[in-house]
Amino acid sequence: MVAGSPSRPDLVTVTETTSQPDGTILRADRATLRFLDLPTLNSFLTEAAFTIDAQYGDWHHEPITNTSREIITIARRA
């Protein structure tokens, strides 16, 4: 995995390699993921006509804080 660049810290590029037990590579996939902050995520959801029902900072439904590593969002079409 490659972390985001200084100019785009919200982007992370991931490379996944699938191989046989002997090491023969079957395929290599590369994807770039974009991680949004809370205001940007909420803006995108609102613009896409979603209503946010709840948001949590982890899978145990703890509140979002400045140190939360995740944004779990429950949303529905408005």
Side-chain angles (χ1 to χ4, degrees):
M1 180 163 48
V2 178
S5 70
S7 63
R8 289 300 307 263
D10 59 334
L11 298 180
V12 175
T13 299
V14 179
T15 303
E16 177 182 36
T17 304
T18 304
S19 63
Q20 297 280 5
D22 68 3
T24 302
I25 295 175
L26 300 174
R27 66 185 288 168
D29 298 299
R30 185 178 172 115
T32 299
L33 308 174
R34 182 175 178 201
F35 292 89
L36 304 175
D37 60 21
L38 190 60
T40 304
L41 172 62
N42 290 348
S43 176
F44 281 178
L45 288 168
T46 300
E47 289 173 21
F50 280 87
T51 298
I52 299 168
D53 290 334
Q55 288 185 305
Y56 305 105
D58 63 27
W59 290 101
H60 301 288
H61 294 184
E62 294 296 322
I64 295 174
T65 68
N66 288 338
T67 60
S68 296
R69 297 191 60 162
E70 300 177 299
I71 302 171
I72 310 304
T73 301
I74 300 170
R76 59 185 162 79
R77 280 292 214 181

